[in-house]
Amino acid sequence: MYQNWIIPKINMQSTIKELLDALGCNLEADSVFDCIQNDPNYGNCNLSSKQVNEYAQRLALKASNAKAFLKKYEELKNRNTDNLSDVIVLFYKLVCDERKAKIPKPKVAPKPILGDNKHQITKEDLPQIKDKLLKAVDESKKLVMKSFEEKESRLQPTWYSSLDLPNWQKDHPAMSWDFPKDPVPIISSLAGIPIASQENILIDELLYIFYGVPGNYIVHQPVKDTYDARTFLISEDVDDALKQIVQQMLPLASNYSIVRRFIEHCNMWSGQVLHALVAAIEILLKDYYTMIAQLETEHMTGSLSLQKLWYFVLPTMHTMQVLAAIVTKIGKSELRGGAVLTVLHDKTNTLMGDARAQEISLFLTERACRPYLNVLDQWIHKGTIVDPFQEFMIEDNELINKEELPVDYSADYWEKRYCIQSDRVPKFLDKFTDIILRTGKYLNVISQCGKSISKTNTDEIKYSLREQNYGAIIQKAYAFASKSLLELLLKEYDLMGRLKSVKNYFLMSQGDFIVQFMDATDQELSKKIDDIIPSKLESLLGLCLRLSAASHDPYNEDMRVELLPYDLQFQMFKILSIETEEEEEYKHNKDCPPLTGIETFSFGMEVKWPVSLVLNHKAIACYQMIFRHLFYCKHVERLLCKVWLYNKVVKRFSEARLYADAFALRQRMLSCIQHLQYYMCVEVIEPSWCQLIQSLDKVHNVDEVLERHNDFLESCLGDCMLTNPQLLKAVTTLCLVCVQFCSFIQEMHKYFVDAELNSMLGSTYDNTEYSESFIEAGCGTTTSSSADSFSRSVSRYGLRFTAALLSVLAIIDRNARDNNTNKLLNISARLNFNTYYAKQLEKFCSDDKLLDCEKKTPSS
């Protein structure tokens, strides 16, 4: 088993265990030992000592305590442990594989179990349910907080947690420029010392206190909170007059201590804005230290008194007070990024009456804004975000390559890829937030199309109390980005041509193509959905596209067929039930009879980037809903026209007047469906389309294009009676009655012909079989009872159609009054005329002039 290495098993396990303890990982000694035994390459390590040391150092970065691991490695190395290099290399492989294999799983809050579904919940169960709900809410809150902490931890790179960085503030407190944390007692007394000598001693003490160094007669007191004002204790032997002057100058040391604590509290992960602010404060403190050094020089010459010292430090006291107030507000609120800039901006505006203080605050704000405005400059001129500490107002959701995203990425891209974080927006940029967001998004889309973006504006964005200084640059960048993307969509990617192609197919503007397609697919779409062959429909679609006027459309190859698993009514009801009490009812498809191809068919279209921003998944779905509505109405019209062809045969029969009611009802239905189609195509879609085209000629950016296009779709969906559940259901019922009537007439057509032949042949022909079948169908002319049966069936269909039509009219009138919708009033007037026309037609058809009536009545 052992190849080139000889080591006792007990000693080897002891070595492995020591390394594992120092490494602090989840590996077990037995599993590592098994890997060694099963590894054929173990013992063949030909690495140099330098290479092995590099592996050990890399492994130390993944250890919980790097120093302890390296110390253990050196100890084993000094003991000349056999095959130590092979063990180190194997450990490195195992630890790296283990880290790579760990995939974070999404944490989902546990679902509270309210009880057994088999038993009904009673009042006695309510306290228990309440406790379980509260417990579940607490657990959910914990998970949310944990996920928030994990998100914050992602600000730090992965290797940061493995580094054993020294806490120099704790381990080396003398390195701090602030007062020591531990209190220092007064170790000397000034009793018996003359006042002049006390003054010199106190000056020397104050100069040290201003530096943050405790003295012998003036000592600091510890603070409870990081940003609390520091107090000082003065020796009781100091003269009262001198003590009063000293107390007036001690706030300078207290404010300096606050500023120093703020600087030392900021670490490497505090963000670029705080780093820039700290650097600006250090520049001001450099002048402060220079002043203290000059006062020391003055004191060494013997020409500095307490009164002079008070006079010299008085302006600096005000400056330090302003600094302390700023850093205290930032530090206590733990602000970062744009929130820090808001505090600095507000502070600068409040210091209008104090020129010196405002100058200092303005200097700090301008310096702190530089990294933030650099990110802003990259965003509005390049469309990229370089924000390692997540301080910028716009957050990228980390979806980099659109090729790796789901199909409906374009639908969510515009709203979800980049979003505004309101807590990171500086107050002085709040007015330009929307423009800044859109500018970068426009440029980002251009860059994803493979176009290079060159910065057209060389002016640097700088902070100023006057927003015009940077507002002009932002407006200029926005104008360039919006114009560039709009030209890219309209000219290079032919957005208008795409929209016209969509109108031709989905809104049925290409009349000859629709007729040819319905003729070619009539037999296939009449089947059940499970019996339809989609590839056959695709072939027929391609054939119709090539043979009709659609062959000149450059985008006809992007068309495809779709068979949806639900009908239009269910689809619309499911959409309209979102965020309502009925949403749960439509989450799963209801048990319904098998659907036919006509009820499930729809066109689909493949749209490429960046046109898919406008014709996204949601927009195509809206077009599909309108198309399914128009397509079904067109199908009903074709069925009624087939019935008219049957009527053309029947009206030449000797007993044609018996079918007058059926003729009149067919004409009523055909007129109604044609009026319905005319209303949707001519009075709704065409004016809305013309309005869309006119508005797109005047847009200035892509957001306006999206807004106008969405308004067009919403207008068409609403005016085509698709967004009103009651009205859609009533129209669907009206069409269903027409379809059932057509099926009835089609079934009876062969009996019409048989009955006429039977009457022509008379008794010399054996007509027993035809008579029986005709009587069973209830529509013969051999007897009065069979004629009455056919008339009663037609009358029932007439009553059902009238009831459905009146229901549609009632809902339209009610909605038109409530919403003041003129377009719906138009269809109401047309359908009311249809009802009046039907009554006159029935009255006229009751006369003996039936044949003349049919000739005068429009058929299609």
Side-chain angles (χ1 to χ4, degrees), residues 28-48:
E28 296 181 0
D30 293 336
S31 61
V32 176
F33 184 71
D34 293 338
C35 292
I36 291 175
Q37 290 179 328
N38 296 325
D39 189 0
N41 296 322
Y42 186 83
N44 298 326
C45 181
N46 297 322
L47 299 177
S48 62

Side-chain angles (χ1 to χ4, degrees), residues 110-129:
K111 295 182 179 180
I113 302 174
L114 301 180
D116 190 358
N117 294 330
K118 297 181 181 179
H119 303 284
Q120 188 176 4
I121 298 177
T122 61
K123 291 184 178 180
E124 290 75 12
D125 299 330
L126 293 179
Q128 183 182 4
I129 294 174

